[in-house]
Amino acid sequence: MTLEADVKWMRHALSLAERAATEGEVPVGAVLVKDGQAIGEGWNQPITGHDPTAHAEVMALRAAGQQLENYRLLDTTLYVTLEPCAMCAGAIIHARVSRVVYGAADPKGGAAGSVFDILCSDRLNHRVACEGGLLAEPCSAMLSSFFAARRKAQRPDGVVLTAADENLADENQGC
């Protein structure tokens, strides 16, 4: 794929993330592409779907499996606005996705190099080519904006806590 195609599909994933946000979900979107065509789309839906596995990546993989009538999604690229978690990385490997392109890194739970490196692990039977940071700024901004609004809505005085404030509070709480 060319950089131009990668940007096009990541922008599509961002539009799916916006859909998640309008539904009150964490704004993550994903699209699976094969031969220049979208074969599966997803956005976070664990809250609305009462399904802890309904992450954007899993939803896109499920849709693609139905479209292709196959659980093996060979020669595909998954575009996702946030670095996949361990669960999603496992699903991506089992589906035999060839390549993952993500926007924002996830320093607390990313499994494509930030915390774990599951997608490229030589201990597994399939390795996925992985590239991070494409349109990272708009991907990160969408997430930051969503969580800032959520924090503001939760505070009776309307004061918005920063991520640093939250991390300090977490550290002071213990395990």
Side-chain angles (χ1 to χ4, degrees), residues 6-64:
D6 286 347
V7 169
K8 169 190 165 183
W9 291 115
M10 186 60 77
R11 289 195 191 288
H12 185 71
L14 273 163
S15 73
L16 296 167
E18 288 173 6
R19 182 167 179 177
T22 63
E23 294 177 7
E25 300 278 1
V26 174
V28 178
V31 60
L32 191 68
V33 176
K34 182 178 177 76
D35 300 326
Q37 300 294 316
I39 59 168
E41 298 179 341
W43 56 93
N44 270 3
Q45 300 173 56
I47 298 167
T48 56
H50 310 290
D51 179 358
T53 68
H55 289 195
E57 301 94 323
V58 171
M59 301 308 288
L61 295 174
R62 288 176 182 165

Side-chain angles (χ1 to χ4, degrees), residues 10 34 62 68 76 79 81 93-94 96 102 104 106 114 129 132 135 137 146 171 173:
M10 186 60 77
K34 182 178 177 76
R62 288 176 182 165
L68 297 181
T76 58
Y79 296 89
T81 58
I93 289 167
H94 284 291
R96 303 298 192 265
Y102 68 86
D106 183 355
S114 289
L135 300 182
E137 180 60 35
F146 175 83
E171 289 171 11
Q173 300 248 333

